[in-house]
Amino acid sequence: MADGGLPRGTLTFLFTDLEGSTHLLQRLGDRYPTLLATHYELMRAAFGRNGGQEVGTRGDALFVVFEQASAAVAAAVTAQLALGAYGWPDDCEVRVRMGVHTGEAEVVDGDYVGVAVHAAARICSAA
C-alpha cells in the first residue's frame, strides 16, 4: 500500500459514467440528486462487496481500483444487475457505462497516473 492506502502493482482499473445524465437532470430537476445518490449507493455496494477501492468521483462518474481482474468484472456485473433491478422513479432508465482495464500505474499525490488508467477511461467512454 502507498499514498492514501492505494494498492500498487498490476491492478484493474474501472471507470463508470452515468449515461444521459444531463437529460436525466433536465427531466427530474430537483429530484435528480436523489437518483444520483441511489446510483452511487448501488454501485459502491457492488464494488465494495467485490474488493474495490474507490479512488475518486467526477460528476456522475466513479473511479475504482481492484487488485484482481476477476473481482472487477464481478463487481461490474453485480452493479449492472443492481441498477437494472432497482425501481427507478418516473419510469427512468438508469444506464451506466463501465470500462475495465488491467495494467500498472504510478501513485502520485493520492491518485493513479499511467497508460492503464487512461485505457480504462477510454474503454468506458467507448462503451
Side-chain angles (χ1 to χ4, degrees):
M1 296 287 183
D3 291 335
L6 294 175
R8 290 185 180 222
T10 301
L11 303 166
T12 300
F13 303 100
L14 183 148
F15 281 90
T16 72
D17 180 48
L18 180 59
E19 241 180 74
S21 57
T22 301
H23 174 73
L24 286 169
L25 174 57
Q26 291 169 339
R27 180 176 170 198
L28 297 174
D30 62 359
R31 293 171 295 164
Y32 177 77
T34 301
L35 179 138
L36 184 62
T38 301
H39 143 268
Y40 275 140
E41 182 181 315
L42 292 170
M43 293 204 317
R44 286 178 171 138
F47 298 156
R49 277 195 304 273
N50 288 281
Q53 183 174 344
E54 188 174 322
V55 178
T57 61
R58 292 255 161 99
D60 57 50
L62 283 168
F63 175 26
V64 184
V65 64
F66 295 82
E67 293 191 49
Q68 296 179 340
S70 59
V73 172
V77 170
T78 301
Q80 292 291 358
L81 291 172
L83 291 164
Y86 191 81
W88 297 102
D90 300 310
D91 296 324
C92 287
E93 183 178 4
V94 175
R95 296 170 49 128
V96 177
R97 290 184 282 266
M98 296 186 191
V100 178
H101 185 73
T102 300
E104 294 184 10
E106 296 291 321
V107 177
V108 178
D109 295 328
D111 201 1
Y112 288 103
V113 177
V115 173
V117 176
H118 287 268
R122 298 296 177 267
I123 292 166
C124 181
S125 294

